Amino acid sequence: MTQSLETKPQVQELRELLQGIECGMLTTVDDDGSLHSRPMSMWNDIDDNATLWFFTLDNSHKVVEIQHHQQVNISFSVPTQQRYVSILGTAQLTRDRDQLQTKWQPKLQTWFPKGIDEPNIALLKVKINKVDYWDSSSSFTPQTIQVN
């Protein structure tokens, strides 16, 4: 019998590592192999399937990059706590209206004034594959969480 992801300690550990962090740097790969990073606000918790969700516009350059190279990295840090998290994941875009509605939060109105009726609004779904992290409690020795 397989253990549900909801009860997997890896997902809970990752939730605790990211608790209180509102923004991460999403890194994508362009067709020429160059890396591009940009800040992405985290408005939703990691779901039970070890997935992160970000609101975006489907006509942005990062979406084009992800359509060609689905592997992404998202890095988070809390320097005052010496906590650093690097997430390797597989990204894809979804325009699912139910998902948009479920994940919508009023704070997003700043970037998407028309809410989920904003033209080109979409969700970037990042399925987490592996997490490397460093924190002061681990004596700065890298730790790894395998989610798959």
Side-chain angles (χ1 to χ4, degrees):
M1 181 170 156
T2 46
Q3 184 180 26
S4 89
L5 285 171
E6 182 177 25
T7 60
K8 275 193 173 179
Q10 299 95 322
V11 173
Q12 186 55 38
E13 183 178 6
L14 185 52
R15 285 177 176 156
E16 290 169 13
L17 281 169
L18 296 181
Q19 188 173 9
I21 301 176
E22 294 179 4
C23 187
M25 293 295 287
L26 171 71
T27 302
T28 55
V29 181
D30 209 344
D31 283 338
D32 65 2
S34 61
L35 302 175
H36 296 155
S37 298
R38 79 276 296 148
M40 297 291 287
S41 294
M42 231 178 78
W43 298 102
N44 293 284
D45 198 7
I46 298 162
D47 70 18
D48 293 337
N49 295 316
T51 303
L52 286 169
W53 298 85
F54 300 94
F55 278 83
T56 190
L57 295 175
D58 66 8
N59 59 353
S60 66
H61 189 70
K62 70 180 158 292
V63 171
V64 173
E65 292 173 331
I66 288 167
Q67 288 170 337
H68 295 124
H69 304 279
Q70 288 186 301
Q71 291 293 337
V72 298
N73 181 272
I74 309 167
S75 58
F76 300 92
S77 69
V78 184
T80 57
Q81 297 176 11
Q82 295 184 11
R83 183 171 25 136
Y84 304 91
V85 182
S86 177
I87 295 175
L88 174 64
T90 306
Q92 69 181 60
L93 194 73
T94 180
R95 294 173 191 86
D96 181 276
R97 188 108 174 133
D98 291 337
Q99 288 285 358
L100 285 163
Q101 235 167 352
T102 300
K103 302 205 177 310
W104 179 260
Q105 293 192 15
K107 294 177 185 178
L108 292 162
Q109 206 83 31
T110 301
W111 293 278
F112 307 100
K114 295 179 182 176
I116 63 169
D117 294 321
E118 187 76 34
N120 302 315
I121 194 168
L123 282 166
L124 186 59
K125 174 183 177 181
V126 179
K127 174 69 176 126
I128 300 168
N129 300 320
K130 179 183 171 191
V131 178
D132 293 313
Y133 70 93
W134 300 258
D135 67 17
S136 58
S137 66
S138 67
S139 303
F140 232 62
T141 302
Q143 305 292 313
T144 299
I145 300 171
Q146 285 295 140
V147 180
N148 299 27

